Amino acid sequence: MPPSFAPAAPTAVIADDERLMREQIIDRLKEAWPELSIVGEASNGSEAVAMVRSLEPDIVFLDISMPGMDGIQAAQALAGQAHVVFVTAHDQYAISAFEHGAVDYLLKPADPERVALTCQRLRERLKQEPDPMNELLAQLSQRLGAGGVKSREYMRWVQASVGANIRMIPTSDILFFRAEDKYTRVQTRGFEALIRKPIKELIAELDPDEFWQIHRSTVVRVDAIEQVSRNLRGHQVVHVKGSDEKLEVSRTFNHLFKQM
């Protein structure tokens, strides 16, 4: 009687330039598909391509917007060497572009139910060879180049500590960020949380149309600004909706609030 072999556990590579996003996807995958083995993590498209060619995983999760080579370009370079799942912060774009059934997607932040559905679909797809998706990828690439989505995806959520717990906070809920000792405080209408990312790194990842830096230690959400006054020292002070806190504006950023 010939020896029987157990089928090899499926393998995957995760590619996203945000470390916290990679960690969250991995956590969600472990919950939804414990048998799936994560064999590599990449922080950009070029790393992802090299990793997939070297490790030959069954699946690759590709963030659409990464520095250098983006997710669409990485998928084109891999040409059917692995089953692809795209990761994006743009839900309308994802739904219109990906629900052809040829490729799956995850929205940021990764929803457990959506991850579970994606895993269910991938189990079926693993029964056949990966589709190179040449025509679909060409269409997606054209849409990206035509401005169908922002060329850069800014931070849309923050993973922060609230007491002993970790919370996923949409940036749309955040009133302001403020540096405090070794941490940065994340303030919402209902609670405050802490993250370790410094202000200088945050401001590079936030949409400048939505968040303004008003001090070296403070970033405020523009539509959370109620009014700007002056304190006894003559400095501009931002009053924030839903908060009693007043945020001082440094001279470097006075130009943001010039009287029109």
Side-chain angles (χ1 to χ4, degrees), residues 10-17 21-22 24-26 28-30 32-33 36-45 47-49 51-52 57-64 66 70-72 74-75 78 82-88 103-107 110 114-120 122-123 125-126:
T11 56
V13 161
I14 312 293
D16 195 299
D17 60 327
M21 190 65 225
R22 295 198 304 270
Q24 195 211 30
I25 291 175
I26 290 170
R28 293 285 186 262
L29 288 171
K30 287 179 178 177
W33 198 356
L36 181 66
S37 176
I38 309 301
V39 295
E41 296 181 47
S43 59
N44 57 60
E47 283 184 11
V49 170
M51 199 170 287
V52 169
D58 300 298
I59 304 159
V60 57
F61 291 80
L62 293 170
D63 181 19
I64 284 185
M66 291 185 286
D70 63 33
I72 305 296
L78 291 169
H83 293 275
V84 172
V85 177
F86 285 114
V87 181
T88 177
V103 65
D104 218 324
Y105 68 92
L106 292 177
L107 298 177
R114 177 68 205 186
V115 174
L117 176 60
T118 295
C119 290
Q120 180 181 336
L122 285 169
R123 289 188 184 95
R125 290 196 178 127
L126 287 178

Short mmCIF file of all heavy atoms in Angstrom, two decimals, residues 10-17 21-22 24-26 28-30 32-33 36-45 47-49 51-52 57-64 66 70-72 74-75 78 82-88 103-107 110 114-120 122-123 125-126:
data_model
loop_
_atom_site.label_atom_id
_atom_site.label_comp_id
_atom_site.label_asym_id
_atom_site.label_seq_id
_atom_site.Cartn_x
_atom_site.Cartn_y
_atom_site.Cartn_z
N PRO A 10 -1.48 25.51 3.64
CA PRO A 10 -1.35 26.65 2.72
C PRO A 10 -0.46 27.73 3.33
O PRO A 10 -0.38 27.89 4.55
CB PRO A 10 -2.79 27.14 2.56
CG PRO A 10 -3.50 26.65 3.78
CD PRO A 10 -2.85 25.36 4.15
N THR A 11 0.22 28.48 2.47
CA THR A 11 1.16 29.50 2.93
C THR A 11 0.82 30.86 2.31
O THR A 11 0.19 30.93 1.25
CB THR A 11 2.60 29.13 2.56
OG1 THR A 11 2.67 28.92 1.13
CG2 THR A 11 3.04 27.86 3.27
N ALA A 12 1.25 31.93 2.97
CA ALA A 12 0.94 33.27 2.49
C ALA A 12 2.05 34.26 2.84
O ALA A 12 2.77 34.08 3.82
CB ALA A 12 -0.39 33.75 3.06
N VAL A 13 2.15 35.30 2.03
CA VAL A 13 3.03 36.44 2.28
C VAL A 13 2.14 37.67 2.43
O VAL A 13 1.17 37.83 1.67
CB VAL A 13 4.04 36.65 1.14
CG1 VAL A 13 4.63 38.05 1.16
CG2 VAL A 13 5.15 35.61 1.22
N ILE A 14 2.44 38.54 3.39
CA ILE A 14 1.69 39.76 3.62
C ILE A 14 2.56 40.95 3.21
O ILE A 14 3.69 41.09 3.69
CB ILE A 14 1.30 39.93 5.10
CG1 ILE A 14 0.69 38.63 5.66
CG2 ILE A 14 0.36 41.11 5.29
CD1 ILE A 14 -0.62 38.25 5.08
N ALA A 15 2.06 41.82 2.34
CA ALA A 15 2.82 43.00 1.91
C ALA A 15 2.02 44.27 2.18
O ALA A 15 0.95 44.48 1.59
CB ALA A 15 3.16 42.89 0.42
N ASP A 16 2.52 45.09 3.09
CA ASP A 16 1.90 46.37 3.43
C ASP A 16 2.97 47.24 4.05
O ASP A 16 3.77 46.76 4.85
CB ASP A 16 0.74 46.17 4.41
CG ASP A 16 -0.17 47.39 4.51
OD1 ASP A 16 0.33 48.46 4.92
OD2 ASP A 16 -1.36 47.28 4.19
N ASP A 17 3.00 48.53 3.69
CA ASP A 17 4.05 49.38 4.24
C ASP A 17 3.76 49.83 5.67
O ASP A 17 4.61 50.43 6.31
CB ASP A 17 4.28 50.61 3.35
CG ASP A 17 3.04 51.47 3.19
OD1 ASP A 17 1.93 50.91 3.19
OD2 ASP A 17 3.17 52.69 3.06
N MET A 21 -0.72 47.43 10.22
CA MET A 21 -1.71 46.82 9.33
C MET A 21 -1.35 45.37 9.05
O MET A 21 -2.22 44.50 9.03
CB MET A 21 -1.78 47.61 8.02
CG MET A 21 -2.95 47.21 7.13
SD MET A 21 -4.54 47.59 7.87
CE MET A 21 -5.43 46.09 7.55
N ARG A 22 -0.05 45.11 8.83
CA ARG A 22 0.37 43.71 8.61
C ARG A 22 0.03 42.86 9.83
O ARG A 22 -0.48 41.74 9.70
CB ARG A 22 1.88 43.65 8.34
CG ARG A 22 2.33 44.33 7.06
CD ARG A 22 3.71 43.86 6.63
NE ARG A 22 4.74 44.04 7.64
CZ ARG A 22 5.48 45.14 7.77
NH1 ARG A 22 5.30 46.17 6.95
NH2 ARG A 22 6.41 45.22 8.70
N GLN A 24 -2.27 43.37 12.04
CA GLN A 24 -3.70 43.17 12.20
C GLN A 24 -4.23 42.11 11.23
O GLN A 24 -5.04 41.26 11.59
CB GLN A 24 -4.45 44.48 11.98
CG GLN A 24 -5.88 44.39 12.49
CD GLN A 24 -6.84 45.25 11.71
OE1 GLN A 24 -6.64 45.50 10.51
NE2 GLN A 24 -7.88 45.71 12.35
N ILE A 25 -3.75 42.15 9.98
CA ILE A 25 -4.18 41.15 9.00
C ILE A 25 -3.77 39.76 9.46
O ILE A 25 -4.55 38.80 9.38
CB ILE A 25 -3.59 41.46 7.62
CG1 ILE A 25 -4.22 42.74 7.05
CG2 ILE A 25 -3.80 40.29 6.65
CD1 ILE A 25 -3.61 43.19 5.74
N ILE A 26 -2.55 39.63 9.95
CA ILE A 26 -2.06 38.33 10.43
C ILE A 26 -2.92 37.82 11.58
O ILE A 26 -3.31 36.64 11.62
CB ILE A 26 -0.58 38.42 10.84
CG1 ILE A 26 0.30 38.62 9.60
CG2 ILE A 26 -0.14 37.17 11.59
CD1 ILE A 26 1.74 38.95 9.91
N ARG A 28 -6.05 38.57 12.22
CA ARG A 28 -7.37 38.19 11.70
C ARG A 28 -7.30 36.86 10.94
O ARG A 28 -8.21 36.03 11.03
CB ARG A 28 -7.88 39.29 10.77
CG ARG A 28 -8.18 40.62 11.45
CD ARG A 28 -9.48 40.54 12.24
NE ARG A 28 -9.83 41.85 12.77
CZ ARG A 28 -9.59 42.26 14.00
NH1 ARG A 28 -8.98 41.44 14.86
NH2 ARG A 28 -9.95 43.46 14.41
N LEU A 29 -6.21 36.66 10.19
CA LEU A 29 -6.07 35.40 9.45
C LEU A 29 -5.92 34.21 10.39
O LEU A 29 -6.46 33.13 10.13
CB LEU A 29 -4.87 35.49 8.51
CG LEU A 29 -5.05 36.40 7.29
CD1 LEU A 29 -3.72 36.56 6.55
CD2 LEU A 29 -6.10 35.84 6.34
N LYS A 30 -5.19 34.40 11.48
CA LYS A 30 -5.02 33.32 12.45
C LYS A 30 -6.36 32.91 13.05
O LYS A 30 -6.61 31.74 13.33
CB LYS A 30 -4.05 33.74 13.55
CG LYS A 30 -2.59 33.79 13.11
CD LYS A 30 -1.68 34.23 14.24
CE LYS A 30 -0.22 34.23 13.80
NZ LYS A 30 0.68 34.73 14.88
N ALA A 32 -9.38 33.34 11.55
CA ALA A 32 -10.27 32.79 10.53
C ALA A 32 -9.75 31.52 9.88
O ALA A 32 -10.54 30.69 9.41
CB ALA A 32 -10.51 33.85 9.45
N TRP A 33 -8.42 31.35 9.85
CA TRP A 33 -7.82 30.22 9.11
C TRP A 33 -6.55 29.78 9.83
O TRP A 33 -5.44 30.07 9.37
CB TRP A 33 -7.51 30.68 7.69
CG TRP A 33 -7.29 29.59 6.70
CD1 TRP A 33 -7.27 28.24 6.92
CD2 TRP A 33 -7.06 29.77 5.28
NE1 TRP A 33 -7.03 27.57 5.74
CE2 TRP A 33 -6.90 28.48 4.73
CE3 TRP A 33 -6.95 30.88 4.46
CZ2 TRP A 33 -6.66 28.29 3.38
CZ3 TRP A 33 -6.72 30.70 3.11
CH2 TRP A 33 -6.58 29.42 2.56
N LEU A 36 -3.48 28.30 7.95
CA LEU A 36 -2.69 29.11 7.03
C LEU A 36 -1.39 29.54 7.70
O LEU A 36 -1.39 30.09 8.80
CB LEU A 36 -3.48 30.35 6.61
CG LEU A 36 -2.79 31.29 5.61
CD1 LEU A 36 -2.59 30.62 4.27
CD2 LEU A 36 -3.59 32.59 5.44
N SER A 37 -0.28 29.33 7.03
CA SER A 37 1.04 29.68 7.57
C SER A 37 1.56 30.95 6.89
O SER A 37 1.69 31.00 5.67
CB SER A 37 2.02 28.53 7.34
OG SER A 37 3.31 28.88 7.77
N ILE A 38 1.82 31.99 7.69
CA ILE A 38 2.38 33.24 7.16
C ILE A 38 3.89 33.07 7.09
O ILE A 38 4.57 33.01 8.12
CB ILE A 38 2.01 34.44 8.04
CG1 ILE A 38 0.51 34.49 8.30
CG2 ILE A 38 2.50 35.73 7.39
CD1 ILE A 38 -0.34 34.58 7.07
N VAL A 39 4.44 32.99 5.89
CA VAL A 39 5.86 32.68 5.73
C VAL A 39 6.73 33.91 5.49
O VAL A 39 7.96 33.81 5.48
CB VAL A 39 6.06 31.67 4.58
CG1 VAL A 39 5.42 30.34 4.92
CG2 VAL A 39 5.49 32.22 3.26
N GLY A 40 6.10 35.09 5.28
CA GLY A 40 6.91 36.29 5.06
C GLY A 40 6.10 37.56 5.13
O GLY A 40 4.88 37.55 4.90
N GLU A 41 6.78 38.66 5.48
CA GLU A 41 6.17 39.99 5.52
C GLU A 41 7.04 40.94 4.71
O GLU A 41 8.26 40.97 4.88
CB GLU A 41 6.07 40.51 6.95
CG GLU A 41 5.15 39.71 7.86
CD GLU A 41 5.09 40.31 9.26
OE1 GLU A 41 4.92 41.55 9.37
OE2 GLU A 41 5.23 39.56 10.24
N ALA A 42 6.40 41.72 3.84
CA ALA A 42 7.12 42.69 3.01
C ALA A 42 6.54 44.08 3.25
O ALA A 42 5.35 44.22 3.54
CB ALA A 42 7.00 42.32 1.53
N SER A 43 7.39 45.11 3.12
CA SER A 43 6.95 46.48 3.37
C SER A 43 6.78 47.30 2.09
O SER A 43 6.43 48.47 2.15
CB SER A 43 7.93 47.19 4.31
OG SER A 43 9.22 47.22 3.74
N ASN A 44 7.05 46.67 0.94
CA ASN A 44 6.82 47.36 -0.33
C ASN A 44 6.66 46.32 -1.44
O ASN A 44 6.88 45.12 -1.22
CB ASN A 44 7.95 48.34 -0.66
CG ASN A 44 9.31 47.68 -0.71
OD1 ASN A 44 9.54 46.76 -1.50
ND2 ASN A 44 10.23 48.13 0.13
N GLY A 45 6.29 46.78 -2.64
CA GLY A 45 6.02 45.87 -3.74
C GLY A 45 7.22 45.08 -4.19
O GLY A 45 7.12 43.89 -4.50
N GLU A 47 9.87 44.18 -2.44
CA GLU A 47 10.14 43.12 -1.46
C GLU A 47 9.15 41.97 -1.62
O GLU A 47 9.52 40.80 -1.52
CB GLU A 47 10.02 43.68 -0.04
CG GLU A 47 11.21 44.50 0.43
CD GLU A 47 11.05 44.93 1.89
OE1 GLU A 47 10.14 44.42 2.57
OE2 GLU A 47 11.83 45.79 2.33
N ALA A 48 7.89 42.32 -1.87
CA ALA A 48 6.86 41.29 -2.02
C ALA A 48 7.15 40.38 -3.20
O ALA A 48 7.05 39.15 -3.10
CB ALA A 48 5.49 41.95 -2.18
N VAL A 49 7.54 40.98 -4.34
CA VAL A 49 7.84 40.18 -5.53
C VAL A 49 9.00 39.24 -5.26
O VAL A 49 8.95 38.04 -5.57
CB VAL A 49 8.14 41.11 -6.73
CG1 VAL A 49 8.69 40.29 -7.90
CG2 VAL A 49 6.88 41.86 -7.16
N MET A 51 10.07 38.15 -2.40
CA MET A 51 9.71 37.17 -1.38
C MET A 51 8.85 36.05 -1.96
O MET A 51 9.04 34.87 -1.65
CB MET A 51 8.98 37.89 -0.24
CG MET A 51 8.95 37.14 1.07
SD MET A 51 8.33 38.19 2.42
CE MET A 51 9.75 39.28 2.67
N VAL A 52 7.90 36.43 -2.80
CA VAL A 52 7.02 35.42 -3.41
C VAL A 52 7.83 34.51 -4.33
O VAL A 52 7.64 33.28 -4.32
CB VAL A 52 5.87 36.09 -4.18
CG1 VAL A 52 5.11 35.06 -5.03
CG2 VAL A 52 4.91 36.77 -3.21
N PRO A 57 4.84 31.13 -1.95
CA PRO A 57 3.62 30.92 -1.16
C PRO A 57 2.42 30.67 -2.06
O PRO A 57 2.45 30.95 -3.27
CB PRO A 57 3.46 32.25 -0.41
CG PRO A 57 4.04 33.25 -1.37
CD PRO A 57 5.22 32.55 -2.00
N ASP A 58 1.36 30.16 -1.47
CA ASP A 58 0.13 29.94 -2.23
C ASP A 58 -0.62 31.25 -2.46
O ASP A 58 -1.30 31.43 -3.47
CB ASP A 58 -0.78 28.97 -1.47
CG ASP A 58 -0.12 27.62 -1.25
OD1 ASP A 58 0.20 26.96 -2.25
OD2 ASP A 58 0.09 27.25 -0.08
N ILE A 59 -0.51 32.17 -1.48
CA ILE A 59 -1.30 33.39 -1.49
C ILE A 59 -0.40 34.58 -1.16
O ILE A 59 0.52 34.46 -0.36
CB ILE A 59 -2.43 33.31 -0.42
CG1 ILE A 59 -3.29 32.07 -0.64
CG2 ILE A 59 -3.29 34.58 -0.42
CD1 ILE A 59 -4.05 31.63 0.60
N VAL A 60 -0.70 35.74 -1.77
CA VAL A 60 -0.01 36.98 -1.39
C VAL A 60 -1.06 38.06 -1.17
O VAL A 60 -1.95 38.26 -2.00
CB VAL A 60 1.04 37.40 -2.44
CG1 VAL A 60 0.42 37.59 -3.82
CG2 VAL A 60 1.74 38.68 -1.99
N PHE A 61 -0.98 38.73 -0.03
CA PHE A 61 -1.84 39.86 0.30
C PHE A 61 -1.06 41.12 -0.05
O PHE A 61 0.00 41.38 0.54
CB PHE A 61 -2.23 39.85 1.78
CG PHE A 61 -3.15 38.72 2.16
CD1 PHE A 61 -2.65 37.44 2.39
CD2 PHE A 61 -4.51 38.93 2.29
CE1 PHE A 61 -3.49 36.40 2.74
CE2 PHE A 61 -5.37 37.89 2.65
CZ PHE A 61 -4.86 36.63 2.87
N LEU A 62 -1.57 41.94 -0.98
CA LEU A 62 -0.85 43.10 -1.48
C LEU A 62 -1.61 44.39 -1.20
O LEU A 62 -2.73 44.58 -1.68
CB LEU A 62 -0.63 42.98 -3.00
CG LEU A 62 0.29 41.86 -3.49
CD1 LEU A 62 0.18 41.74 -5.01
CD2 LEU A 62 1.73 42.14 -3.09
N ASP A 63 -0.98 45.28 -0.42
CA ASP A 63 -1.53 46.62 -0.26
C ASP A 63 -1.45 47.32 -1.61
O ASP A 63 -0.41 47.27 -2.28
CB ASP A 63 -0.72 47.36 0.80
CG ASP A 63 -1.23 48.77 1.06
OD1 ASP A 63 -2.40 49.05 0.72
OD2 ASP A 63 -0.47 49.58 1.61
N ILE A 64 -2.53 47.97 -2.03
CA ILE A 64 -2.52 48.63 -3.33
C ILE A 64 -1.51 49.77 -3.36
O ILE A 64 -0.76 49.93 -4.32
CB ILE A 64 -3.92 49.18 -3.67
CG1 ILE A 64 -4.82 48.03 -4.11
CG2 ILE A 64 -3.85 50.22 -4.78
CD1 ILE A 64 -6.17 48.47 -4.58
N MET A 66 1.75 51.26 -2.02
CA MET A 66 3.00 51.07 -1.30
C MET A 66 4.07 51.91 -1.98
O MET A 66 3.98 52.19 -3.18
CB MET A 66 3.43 49.60 -1.28
CG MET A 66 2.53 48.71 -0.44
SD MET A 66 3.14 47.00 -0.33
CE MET A 66 2.76 46.38 -1.96
N ASP A 70 3.82 49.58 -6.50
CA ASP A 70 2.56 49.41 -5.76
C ASP A 70 2.03 47.98 -5.91
O ASP A 70 2.64 47.14 -6.58
CB ASP A 70 1.52 50.45 -6.20
CG ASP A 70 1.12 50.31 -7.67
OD1 ASP A 70 1.09 49.18 -8.18
OD2 ASP A 70 0.80 51.34 -8.30
N GLY A 71 0.88 47.72 -5.28
CA GLY A 71 0.34 46.37 -5.27
C GLY A 71 -0.07 45.86 -6.63
O GLY A 71 0.09 44.67 -6.94
N ILE A 72 -0.63 46.74 -7.47
CA ILE A 72 -1.03 46.33 -8.82
C ILE A 72 0.20 45.95 -9.64
O ILE A 72 0.23 44.91 -10.32
CB ILE A 72 -1.79 47.47 -9.53
CG1 ILE A 72 -2.99 47.94 -8.70
CG2 ILE A 72 -2.24 47.01 -10.92
CD1 ILE A 72 -4.06 46.92 -8.50
N ALA A 74 3.06 44.95 -8.48
CA ALA A 74 3.62 43.71 -7.92
C ALA A 74 2.86 42.50 -8.44
O ALA A 74 3.46 41.47 -8.81
CB ALA A 74 3.58 43.76 -6.39
N ALA A 75 1.53 42.60 -8.49
CA ALA A 75 0.72 41.50 -9.01
C ALA A 75 1.03 41.22 -10.48
O ALA A 75 1.08 40.06 -10.91
CB ALA A 75 -0.76 41.80 -8.82
N LEU A 78 4.30 39.37 -10.73
CA LEU A 78 4.22 37.97 -10.28
C LEU A 78 3.47 37.09 -11.26
O LEU A 78 3.64 35.86 -11.24
CB LEU A 78 3.57 37.91 -8.89
CG LEU A 78 4.44 38.50 -7.77
CD1 LEU A 78 3.65 38.65 -6.48
CD2 LEU A 78 5.67 37.64 -7.54
N ALA A 82 1.01 33.33 -7.58
CA ALA A 82 0.31 33.11 -6.31
C ALA A 82 -1.09 33.69 -6.43
O ALA A 82 -1.34 34.57 -7.27
CB ALA A 82 1.07 33.78 -5.15
N HIS A 83 -2.01 33.21 -5.63
CA HIS A 83 -3.34 33.79 -5.56
C HIS A 83 -3.23 35.14 -4.85
O HIS A 83 -2.56 35.26 -3.82
CB HIS A 83 -4.29 32.87 -4.80
CG HIS A 83 -4.57 31.58 -5.50
ND1 HIS A 83 -5.55 31.45 -6.46
CD2 HIS A 83 -3.97 30.36 -5.38
CE1 HIS A 83 -5.55 30.20 -6.91
NE2 HIS A 83 -4.60 29.52 -6.27
N VAL A 84 -3.90 36.16 -5.41
CA VAL A 84 -3.74 37.53 -4.92
C VAL A 84 -4.97 38.01 -4.16
O VAL A 84 -6.11 37.78 -4.58
CB VAL A 84 -3.46 38.49 -6.10
CG1 VAL A 84 -3.49 39.95 -5.63
CG2 VAL A 84 -2.13 38.17 -6.75
N VAL A 85 -4.71 38.67 -3.04
CA VAL A 85 -5.75 39.42 -2.32
C VAL A 85 -5.22 40.85 -2.18
O VAL A 85 -4.14 41.06 -1.64
CB VAL A 85 -6.04 38.83 -0.93
CG1 VAL A 85 -7.07 39.70 -0.20
CG2 VAL A 85 -6.52 37.39 -1.04
N PHE A 86 -5.97 41.83 -2.67
CA PHE A 86 -5.56 43.22 -2.53
C PHE A 86 -6.09 43.81 -1.22
O PHE A 86 -7.16 43.43 -0.75
CB PHE A 86 -6.05 44.06 -3.71
CG PHE A 86 -5.29 43.83 -4.98
CD1 PHE A 86 -5.90 43.25 -6.08
CD2 PHE A 86 -3.96 44.19 -5.07
CE1 PHE A 86 -5.19 43.03 -7.25
CE2 PHE A 86 -3.24 43.97 -6.23
CZ PHE A 86 -3.86 43.39 -7.32
N VAL A 87 -5.31 44.72 -0.67
CA VAL A 87 -5.69 45.42 0.56
C VAL A 87 -5.79 46.90 0.23
O VAL A 87 -4.88 47.47 -0.38
CB VAL A 87 -4.65 45.20 1.68
CG1 VAL A 87 -5.08 45.90 2.96
CG2 VAL A 87 -4.45 43.71 1.93
N THR A 88 -6.91 47.53 0.60
CA THR A 88 -7.12 48.92 0.24
C THR A 88 -7.94 49.64 1.29
O THR A 88 -8.71 49.02 2.03
CB THR A 88 -7.83 49.03 -1.12
OG1 THR A 88 -8.08 50.40 -1.43
CG2 THR A 88 -9.15 48.28 -1.12
N VAL A 103 -10.52 38.23 -8.27
CA VAL A 103 -9.55 38.53 -7.22
C VAL A 103 -10.33 39.05 -6.02
O VAL A 103 -11.40 39.62 -6.15
CB VAL A 103 -8.52 39.57 -7.71
CG1 VAL A 103 -9.19 40.90 -7.99
CG2 VAL A 103 -7.40 39.76 -6.70
N ASP A 104 -9.78 38.84 -4.84
CA ASP A 104 -10.47 39.28 -3.63
C ASP A 104 -9.77 40.49 -3.04
O ASP A 104 -8.68 40.86 -3.46
CB ASP A 104 -10.53 38.14 -2.60
CG ASP A 104 -11.86 38.13 -1.86
OD1 ASP A 104 -12.38 39.23 -1.59
OD2 ASP A 104 -12.37 37.04 -1.56
N TYR A 105 -10.42 41.11 -2.05
CA TYR A 105 -9.85 42.30 -1.44
C TYR A 105 -10.22 42.36 0.04
O TYR A 105 -11.18 41.74 0.49
CB TYR A 105 -10.34 43.57 -2.14
CG TYR A 105 -11.83 43.83 -1.94
CD1 TYR A 105 -12.27 44.64 -0.89
CD2 TYR A 105 -12.78 43.28 -2.79
CE1 TYR A 105 -13.62 44.86 -0.69
CE2 TYR A 105 -14.13 43.50 -2.60
CZ TYR A 105 -14.55 44.30 -1.55
OH TYR A 105 -15.89 44.52 -1.35
N LEU A 106 -9.42 43.11 0.79
CA LEU A 106 -9.72 43.42 2.19
C LEU A 106 -9.68 44.93 2.34
O LEU A 106 -8.82 45.60 1.75
CB LEU A 106 -8.69 42.79 3.13
CG LEU A 106 -8.67 41.27 3.24
CD1 LEU A 106 -7.53 40.84 4.16
CD2 LEU A 106 -10.00 40.75 3.77
N LEU A 107 -10.58 45.46 3.13
CA LEU A 107 -10.60 46.88 3.42
C LEU A 107 -9.88 47.15 4.73
O LEU A 107 -9.91 46.34 5.64
CB LEU A 107 -12.04 47.39 3.52
CG LEU A 107 -12.90 47.27 2.26
CD1 LEU A 107 -14.31 47.76 2.56
CD2 LEU A 107 -12.29 48.06 1.12
N ALA A 110 -9.03 45.74 8.75
CA ALA A 110 -9.53 44.42 8.35
C ALA A 110 -10.66 43.97 9.26
O ALA A 110 -10.47 43.79 10.46
CB ALA A 110 -8.38 43.41 8.38
N ARG A 114 -15.21 39.98 7.03
CA ARG A 114 -14.71 40.07 5.66
C ARG A 114 -13.51 39.15 5.48
O ARG A 114 -13.37 38.49 4.44
CB ARG A 114 -14.33 41.52 5.33
CG ARG A 114 -13.74 41.70 3.95
CD ARG A 114 -14.76 41.46 2.86
NE ARG A 114 -14.11 41.05 1.62
CZ ARG A 114 -14.74 40.87 0.47
NH1 ARG A 114 -16.04 41.06 0.39
NH2 ARG A 114 -14.08 40.49 -0.60
N VAL A 115 -12.62 39.10 6.48
CA VAL A 115 -11.45 38.21 6.41
C VAL A 115 -11.91 36.77 6.33
O VAL A 115 -11.37 35.97 5.56
CB VAL A 115 -10.52 38.43 7.62
CG1 VAL A 115 -9.40 37.40 7.62
CG2 VAL A 115 -9.93 39.84 7.59
N ALA A 116 -12.91 36.41 7.13
CA ALA A 116 -13.42 35.04 7.12
C ALA A 116 -13.98 34.67 5.75
O ALA A 116 -13.76 33.57 5.24
CB ALA A 116 -14.49 34.87 8.20
N LEU A 117 -14.70 35.63 5.12
CA LEU A 117 -15.25 35.39 3.78
C LEU A 117 -14.13 35.22 2.76
O LEU A 117 -14.18 34.33 1.91
CB LEU A 117 -16.16 36.55 3.38
CG LEU A 117 -16.73 36.50 1.96
CD1 LEU A 117 -17.58 35.25 1.75
CD2 LEU A 117 -17.55 37.76 1.68
N THR A 118 -13.12 36.06 2.86
CA THR A 118 -11.98 35.97 1.95
C THR A 118 -11.29 34.61 2.10
O THR A 118 -10.92 33.98 1.10
CB THR A 118 -10.98 37.10 2.24
OG1 THR A 118 -11.60 38.35 1.93
CG2 THR A 118 -9.72 36.95 1.39
N CYS A 119 -11.10 34.16 3.33
CA CYS A 119 -10.47 32.86 3.56
C CYS A 119 -11.30 31.72 2.96
O CYS A 119 -10.75 30.77 2.39
CB CYS A 119 -10.26 32.64 5.06
SG CYS A 119 -8.99 33.71 5.78
N GLN A 120 -12.61 31.83 3.10
CA GLN A 120 -13.49 30.82 2.52
C GLN A 120 -13.33 30.76 1.01
O GLN A 120 -13.23 29.68 0.41
CB GLN A 120 -14.94 31.15 2.89
CG GLN A 120 -15.97 30.16 2.36
CD GLN A 120 -17.39 30.58 2.73
OE1 GLN A 120 -17.61 31.30 3.70
NE2 GLN A 120 -18.34 30.13 1.95
N LEU A 122 -10.70 31.77 -0.71
CA LEU A 122 -9.35 31.32 -1.04
C LEU A 122 -9.23 29.80 -0.96
O LEU A 122 -8.51 29.19 -1.75
CB LEU A 122 -8.34 31.98 -0.10
CG LEU A 122 -8.04 33.46 -0.39
CD1 LEU A 122 -7.25 34.07 0.76
CD2 LEU A 122 -7.27 33.61 -1.70
N ARG A 123 -9.89 29.20 0.00
CA ARG A 123 -9.86 27.72 0.11
C ARG A 123 -10.33 27.08 -1.19
O ARG A 123 -9.78 26.06 -1.64
CB ARG A 123 -10.73 27.26 1.28
CG ARG A 123 -10.16 27.57 2.66
CD ARG A 123 -11.01 26.91 3.73
NE ARG A 123 -10.56 27.24 5.07
CZ ARG A 123 -11.07 28.22 5.82
NH1 ARG A 123 -12.07 28.95 5.33
NH2 ARG A 123 -10.62 28.46 7.03
N ARG A 125 -10.28 28.62 -4.20
CA ARG A 125 -9.36 28.99 -5.29
C ARG A 125 -8.08 28.17 -5.27
O ARG A 125 -7.43 27.98 -6.30
CB ARG A 125 -9.03 30.48 -5.20
CG ARG A 125 -10.23 31.34 -5.55
CD ARG A 125 -9.83 32.78 -5.84
NE ARG A 125 -11.03 33.52 -6.22
CZ ARG A 125 -11.42 34.64 -5.65
NH1 ARG A 125 -10.71 35.17 -4.69
NH2 ARG A 125 -12.52 35.26 -6.05
N LEU A 126 -7.68 27.71 -4.08
CA LEU A 126 -6.45 26.93 -3.98
C LEU A 126 -6.56 25.58 -4.70
O LEU A 126 -5.55 24.92 -4.93
CB LEU A 126 -6.09 26.70 -2.51
CG LEU A 126 -5.55 27.92 -1.76
CD1 LEU A 126 -5.26 27.58 -0.30
CD2 LEU A 126 -4.28 28.46 -2.42
#
